[in-house]
Amino acid sequence: MKPALLVVALLGTGAAAAPPAWEGDALPTPLTATPGDPARGRALVAERRTSLCLLCHPAPIPGQQAGNLAPDLAGAGARWSAAQLRARIVDARRLNPATTMPPFHANEGLQRVGSAWQGRPVLEAQQVEDIVAWLQTLR
Ligand code: HEC
């Protein structure tokens, strides 16, 4: 294969993406160049089969039944910076190895990965940024 084609092939699989850069309990660099869209983030959280958030977290989304296994997402934007919120969604295990919160944008060290998720994160980078943008509005 010609080198240029190889580069295109690697980019196509996402294999060339740089791993997120951790600083303490935070991921200061957005995962995408496109800023997160809070309306899309809210819709993703409300659509529980994609994001799963509401299985565990109460959230200020009227009309939604939510679990009570984790802190209420109300006020999350006042408690945490965007960088801290991003970190918690990407891989909460880095902050609390015993957490029940699944790593939403990590591929290392996963066990019992459902076949639909094998080889790819639960949430795409843009979906993580959209949810971070929505959480930031919760003050
Ligand atoms: C299986 C349960 C579970 C799911 C699903 C889950 N979380 Fe969590 N989350 C937790 C738990 C438990 C904590 C408390 C801290 C810890 O144990 O890591 C937490 C902590 C957080 C925090 C910090 C809360 C605070 O204010 O202290 C945020 C923000 C958060 N989760 C967002 C999300 C979002 C957004 C989703 C969906 C994309 C999600 N979580 C899905 C269990 C879950």
Side-chain angles (χ1 to χ4, degrees), residues 58-82:
I61 301 182
Q64 284 283 349
Q65 261 203 326
N68 209 355
L69 306 167
D72 197 326
L73 294 180
R79 290 191 293 275
W80 307 103
S81 68

Side-chain angles (χ1 to χ4, degrees), residues 40-51:
R40 272 206 312 257
R42 184 185 190 279
L44 272 166
V45 172
E47 213 290 86
R48 59 182 65 227
R49 275 171 305 178
T50 308
S51 63

